[in-house]
Structures are given as C-alpha cells and as structure tokens.
Amino acid sequence: MSEIKENLLRVMERIEKAARKVGRDPNEIKLVAVSKTVEAARIKEAIGAGVSILGENYIQEAQKKIEEIGRLVSWHFIGHLQSNKVKYAIRLFDMIHSLDSIPLAEELNRRAEQANQAIKVMIEVNLSKEAAKFGADEERVLSLARRIQNLNHLFLEGLMTMPPYFDSPEMSRPYYIALRALKERMVKERIPMKDLSMGMSNDFEIAIEEGATYVRVGTAIFGPRK
Ligand SMILES: *Cc1c(COP(=O)(O)O)cnc(C)c1O
C-alpha cells in the first residue's frame, strides 16, 4: 500500500474514533485534504485512495493543479484571499473557508453574480488576536454574517478558525469551544449555519470532540511540507 493511502486510512480511523468518543456519527465529519505545496501526482494518489475534497491556500498554485486534476473532486480555498484574486477563486473553488471582511464578501458576490453562479463561504474568525494575522475579529462576525445573508450569490455555511500552533493539541480546545459557541449565537440571531471548519493534523481529534464538521488535514496525509 502507498504511504499516502496508509496515512489516509490512519487519519480516517482517527476521525472515526474521535467521533465515537463523543457519540457523534463519523459521517458528519468531512475531511479536507490540504494539498498546498503537494504536486499533482501525489494529489492524484490521494484521490485514488479516497480523498474527495482538496484544500488549497494559493490561487496560482491551485489553478495549475485544478486544470490538471479536474473537477471530479471538490476544491476548497482555505488561504488568505486577496480581492484581486476573487475572480479566479470563483471559477476554481466550490467553497471559501476564509471570508473575513465585508468588502471581500461584496467583491465575491459581485464576481459570482457576473459569472452567474453562487459560492459557499465560511467566515474565518480570529480568536487569538495577537497570534493570527487573518480572520474577522469576533465582535465583527455578526455584522459580517448579516451582510453575507443579504448577498444573493453567497451561501453562508459556517465558521472557520485556526488557533495558534501549540505542541499540545489540548491547548487548542478553548478556541474550538469558542467557535462552536459563536456558531450557536449566530443561529440564535437567526443566521442559520451548520458547519465548523476546525482542526488540523496535530489537533483534529480535539476539534471533532468540540463539533467540527470539516477538518483540514495536510501533513498527516501527505507528510511534512518542504
Ligand atoms: C496548511 C493548513 C492546514 C493543514 O495543516 P497541517 O498541519 O499540515 O494539517 C489547515 N488549515 C489551513 C488554513 C492551512 O493553511
């Protein structure tokens, strides 16, 4: 068996075990295989082994790979999106995990409308102000979500966060609890959303215990990045 396939099976086992531990159905959790810096041949190997959602961080890098690999799999954008790249993002991706400002939302909507399509988005929340460069501050999430609700070409699916890096995965837990609480608050404010994109190679079990519906896993599938 190839190394990527072995890694993938191990990740899927870990997802299942974490879900069962807290009484969740493992099928509620979708795996985004994060393929930044990974070449197309190895991505194809992962697809052959069963990966169906790929996560990319950089538009130009993703564009080449998506042209080569195609759209039978779903491509999600998880990096920082610049407004001058929005028109490409609309064409390339089924979901943007990292929407973090009203101007960016408006630009996405404008370009989606021009392209006569709609795109799924999540709001990236910055829960660790000093450590994270990107993401909307918690206080601004509600107004951003309300704005997105009024943009006809965007579907607001949920919230995403990326805690600072800790050696101990347990240290991420407060961030994941906070993201889930914020989602519950949105739902009470009549902003329906279902997804929580949280958890990476080193801490996705904790994220699943706290309600993740998407985990974004790179290293544990593809090995260390160069
Ligand atoms: C790179 C990246 C990941 C995956 O990180 P790993 O530690 O390799 O699993 C997840 N989310 C985002 C936003 C990333 O940039």
Side-chain angles (χ1 to χ4, degrees):
M1 204 192 302
S2 83
E3 192 183 318
I4 287 176
K5 182 157 192 178
E6 261 178 49
N7 289 346
L8 181 66
L9 289 177
R10 204 168 312 129
V11 165
M12 289 181 350
E13 264 171 34
R14 285 170 62 191
I15 290 173
E16 175 159 358
K17 202 168 156 206
R20 300 246 185 259
K21 182 176 167 191
V22 292
R24 294 185 64 195
D25 176 356
N27 295 314
E28 287 171 17
I29 296 130
K30 284 156 283 191
L31 173 63
V32 179
V34 175
S35 50
K36 61 175 173 243
T37 81
V38 178
E39 60 271 37
R42 304 182 71 231
I43 298 175
K44 286 180 185 166
E45 213 181 305
I47 294 168
V51 158
S52 59
I53 308 173
L54 278 309
E56 286 281 342
N57 291 61
Y58 307 102
I59 298 286
Q60 268 174 313
E61 182 191 339
Q63 188 161 19
K64 291 201 195 83
K65 293 177 189 174
I66 296 172
E67 275 164 16
E68 181 175 344
I69 295 167
R71 302 297 298 266
L72 287 177
V73 285
S74 184
W75 295 90
H76 288 195
F77 189 76
I78 63 170
H80 178 62
L81 186 57
Q82 292 166 304
S83 59
N84 62 343
K85 300 282 171 62
V86 162
K87 59 174 184 284
Y88 307 107
I90 291 289
R91 272 203 296 114
L92 295 169
F93 294 98
D94 303 309
M95 165 101 92
I96 309 286
H97 288 230
S98 46
L99 182 49
D100 64 358
S101 76
I102 289 179
L104 187 60
E106 289 171 345
E107 178 63 6
L108 267 171
N109 188 65
R110 191 173 75 82
R111 291 289 184 175
E113 184 170 14
Q114 274 177 4
N116 201 16
Q117 61 182 86
I119 188 158
K120 296 177 185 172
V121 298
M122 289 195 259
I123 295 176
E124 179 175 359
V125 187
N126 180 351
L127 294 167
S128 57
K129 277 180 198 161
E130 37 337 299
K133 274 186 292 193
F134 302 119
D137 290 345
E138 201 174 343
E139 317 75 84
R140 289 173 38 226
V141 171
L142 183 59
S143 55
L144 175 54
R146 289 215 167 101
R147 183 70 189 111
I148 295 169
Q149 270 191 312
N150 288 314
L151 295 171
N152 290 332
H153 296 261
L154 304 186
F155 295 123
L156 180 58
E157 302 283 309
L159 303 177
M160 181 272 236
T161 201
M162 197 164 147
Y165 180 82
F166 300 110
D167 285 327
S168 160
E170 199 51 52
M171 302 278 284
S172 301
R173 192 183 297 274
Y175 295 89
Y176 296 151
I177 292 174
L179 198 71
R180 187 186 57 199
L182 189 56
K183 185 190 114 182
E184 282 160 10
R185 216 182 104 207
M186 295 295 133
V187 173
K188 279 205 192 94
E189 300 275 357
R190 296 167 193 269
I191 300 170
M193 51 171 71
K194 57 185 196 313
D195 285 315
L196 287 172
S197 170
M198 56 190 200
M200 312 188 1
S201 290
N202 69 321
D203 65 5
F204 66 77
E205 284 104 330
I206 306 290
I208 289 168
E209 288 174 28
E210 299 303 339
T213 61
Y214 284 98
V215 291
R216 308 179 310 268
V217 180
T219 313
I221 296 171
F222 295 108
R225 285 181 288 274
K226 282 155 234 144

